[in-house]
Amino acid sequence: MPYVCRWGILATGGIAESFAKDLLVDPSTRSVTKIRHTITAAASSSGASRARKFLEDLGVADSASSYGSYEELAQDPNVDIIYVATPHSHHFQNVMLCLEAGRNVLCEKAFTVNAAQTRVLIDKAREKNLFLMEAVWTRYFPLSEYLTDTILNGTIGSVQRVIADLSVPTDPDVANSESLSRIEDPKTAGGALLELGVYPINWCFQAIYNVIPADIRSPPSVKAVIKKYPSGVDETTSMILVFPRPSEYGGDAHAFATCSITPGSRWRETRAPQPSVRILGTKGELELYHPSFRPARTRLMTENGDIVEKTWPHPGPGKGSNWYNWYRDERLAEGEARGMAWQADEAATALSTDQKESSKQSLEESLVIMQVMDEVRRQGDLVYSEELESTAYPLQL
Ligand SMILES: NC(=O)C1=CN([C@@H]2O[C@H](COP(=O)(O)OP(=O)(O)OC[C@H]3O[C@@H](n4cnc5c(N)ncnc54)[C@H](OP(=O)(O)O)[C@@H]3O)[C@@H](O)[C@H]2O)C=CC1
Ligand SMILES: O=C1OC[C@@H](O)[C@H](O)[C@H]1O
């Protein structure tokens, strides 16, 4: 019998809807047979009726509880794991709430506002013997397995450089309006780095840091420049990361990670996808095509002149999801899933085998990435409010 993982969804915004839709896709469509997912509860801080409507739209309202507060969800014993889908500003408080109540957690990226908060969450999860994982969904794509294999089997030699970008413009209508969107707003810990930069940084870590034994990994040094958005968050952020490696692993590796929310920079204007991640080794190169939050195509080039192109579908049958506007290029074909369930499979598999963290991205790696982002913000003079940076709990935000 497959292990049935019972999910509680904390918040009912855009990504919560997308994740929940993908959770309900039959796992056998992606050749997963040992686990299944079910949604047993959802909570909305906007009220129980909002949570109820969310569950109705998914077609699971009859078998799931709807709550008007996150506190009630955290107390629900019919939930095996809670997916936290609030803005970055609230992750620390929300995850603490769940862990204190004895719930396992999958929390959206960016994990927290700063590394100190991530450290406290890790310690709390360990103290309570609970599962905790950052929802960097790209890490769980089959494409990521291919990336790791390609590097580990030596196909492109030793990785010397990674060049990775994610630039998604702010919605022109939103950018021109009086109110600030979540991504533009310092109060929700918005800005390019926490929203988008986390993807290029993760690709750099996957290609350089994650592929060497844990005991010889060292955090990279960081050089960064930030250009601010009018609201005070970062608009464009450019980072150079130098990963120290022993000579038998190719010596230092350089990574260039960039991100931007520059209004009007329509990166898909031409509709001709370009590589947005390039992994350059001594014997070849692996390219991942736009957008780096969901690359659907790769191109592998090796020194003997071979070129291998692959596409990476996310099988449904889902309902398709049009929850982003055209400028985010998030239109899925009818029947295609967005690809968010691979990470749910990882979490459920861990629960079924009593593992307390992801097998693909350790909590230590999430912490080091948060430390890198702290340093980027320090160099770029990007600070959020004292309460958003705080590790005090509970705190009313
Ligand atoms: N993996 C991916 O592809 C993506 C991940 N994300 C990540 O998901 C998280 C949420 O993003 P997204 O779903 O786009 O955001 P939304 O603004 O669409 O939704 C956030 C939800 O959080 C709840 N919330 C609680 N407090 C606040 C607050 N003060 N301000 C706003 N919302 C609040 C609300 O739900 P309620 O009223 O029900 O409580 C709200 O609907 C972020 O961490 C983001 O980085 C975002 C997009 C894509
Ligand atoms: O995680 C994300 O991926 C898709 C982007 O458009 C979105 O802003 C970001 O949060």
Side-chain angles (χ1 to χ4, degrees):
M1 289 294 284
Y3 167 77
V4 179
C5 186
R6 300 170 303 168
W7 289 85
I9 312 292
L10 189 150
T12 60
I15 203 62
E17 180 195 335
S18 181
F19 177 78
K21 278 184 176 172
D22 275 12
L23 261 191
L24 299 175
V25 171
D26 180 351
S28 69
T29 60
R30 51 183 187 276
S31 306
V32 171
T33 53
K34 289 190 176 156
I35 49 170
R36 286 180 44 210
H37 303 286
T38 168
I39 297 173
T40 48
S44 172
S45 59
S46 317
S49 57
R50 166 77 199 139
R52 171 94 193 158
K53 170 83 171 53
F54 176 81
L55 293 167
E56 277 169 3
D57 291 348
L58 292 165
V60 298
D62 291 345
S63 53
S65 308
S66 20
Y67 298 116
S69 74
Y70 300 158
E71 286 76 9
E72 289 169 278
L73 173 65
Q75 294 301 329
D76 187 339
N78 292 318
V79 160
D80 296 313
I81 180 164
I82 293 178
Y83 169 65
V84 172
T86 50
H88 317 137
S89 48
H90 288 56
H91 288 177
F92 175 70
Q93 295 294 327
N94 299 153
V95 176
M96 278 297 275
L97 173 77
C98 299
L99 295 174
E100 286 288 13
R103 302 282 155 245
N104 300 299
V105 175
L106 171 65
C107 176
E108 258 309 328
K109 39 62 63 176
F111 212 5
T112 50
V113 170
N114 57 41
Q117 293 179 341
T118 294
R119 178 77 266 165
V120 174
L121 294 184
I122 294 172
D123 291 346
K124 181 57 69 180
R126 290 190 177 147
E127 174 198 320
K128 297 266 188 179
N129 198 26
L130 292 165
F131 174 82
L132 176 63
M133 172 177 147
E134 182 184 7
V136 185
W137 61 315
T138 42
R139 291 252 178 176
Y140 306 92
F141 291 172
L143 181 157
S144 280
E145 221 164 291
Y146 170 69
L147 180 156
T148 303
D149 290 347
T150 300
I151 294 170
L152 288 181
N153 66 23
T155 308
I156 58 170
S158 143
V159 174
Q160 294 296 308
R161 291 191 298 151
V162 178
I163 303 168
D165 177 61
L166 180 56
S167 299
V168 181
T170 47
D171 178 342
D173 295 335
V174 174
N176 293 330
S177 79
E178 297 273 298
S179 59
L180 293 176
S181 69
R182 178 181 66 73
I183 296 170
E184 299 167 295
D185 196 346
K187 292 201 188 83
T188 44
L193 179 66
L194 295 189
E195 182 73 18
L196 306 174
V198 68
Y199 288 101
I201 295 174
N202 266 280
W203 288 118
C204 296
F205 269 73
Q206 275 178 258
I208 300 172
Y209 185 89
N210 190 270
V211 286
I212 61 176
D215 58 339
I216 55 164
R217 291 176 194 166
S218 296
S221 63
V222 177
K223 284 200 166 48
V225 190
I226 282 179
K227 178 186 177 189
K228 297 268 179 73
Y229 194 73
S231 66
V233 301
D234 62 314
E235 175 178 303
T236 296
T237 295
S238 305
M239 300 160 265
I240 301 177
L241 312 179
V242 179
F243 291 80
R245 286 183 312 192
S247 51
E248 62 269 33
Y249 288 94
D252 290 358
H254 289 197
F256 306 86
T258 51
C259 56
S260 183
I261 56 166
T262 313
S265 69
R266 290 192 194 154
W267 47 278
R268 291 297 306 276
E269 192 76 78
T270 61
R271 300 280 143 189
Q274 302 290 318
S276 57
V277 180
R278 294 177 61 201
I279 300 167
L280 299 106
T282 48
K283 294 182 179 173
E285 176 175 342
L286 178 63
E287 295 178 339
L288 280 50
Y289 281 73
H290 269 316
S292 61
F293 63 77
R294 188 177 180 272
R297 186 149 75 92
T298 52
R299 184 176 152 98
L300 172 67
M301 292 158 287
T302 44
E303 60 183 354
N304 56 10
D306 287 349
I307 296 179
V308 181
E309 301 216 43
K310 285 179 181 282
T311 53
W312 300 92
H314 298 289
K319 289 180 185 162
S321 165
N322 254 347
W323 58 275
Y324 274 145
N325 290 329
W326 62 268
Y327 64 90
R328 288 197 190 282
D329 198 31
E330 278 270 355
R331 290 179 199 286
L332 305 185
E334 188 64 29
E336 188 189 4
R338 187 165 182 260
M340 304 203 74
W342 306 104
Q343 62 182 345
D345 297 341
E346 170 74 15
T349 303
L351 293 188
S352 72
T353 53
D354 203 28
Q355 304 302 305
K356 302 301 173 194
E357 55 187 289
S358 156
S359 67
K360 302 220 160 69
Q361 180 177 15
S362 67
L363 288 167
E364 176 270 339
E365 193 169 339
S366 282
L367 178 66
V368 174
I369 288 175
M370 285 308 311
Q371 287 164 344
V372 165
M373 295 203 288
D374 277 3
E375 179 58 17
V376 171
R377 290 203 293 124
R378 193 192 65 75
Q379 292 183 22
D381 193 25
L382 172 58
V383 187
Y384 296 103
S385 71
E386 209 173 300
E387 54 180 9
L388 293 199
E389 301 267 7
S390 172
T391 52
Y393 173 83
L395 209 61
Q396 190 62 43
L397 298 179

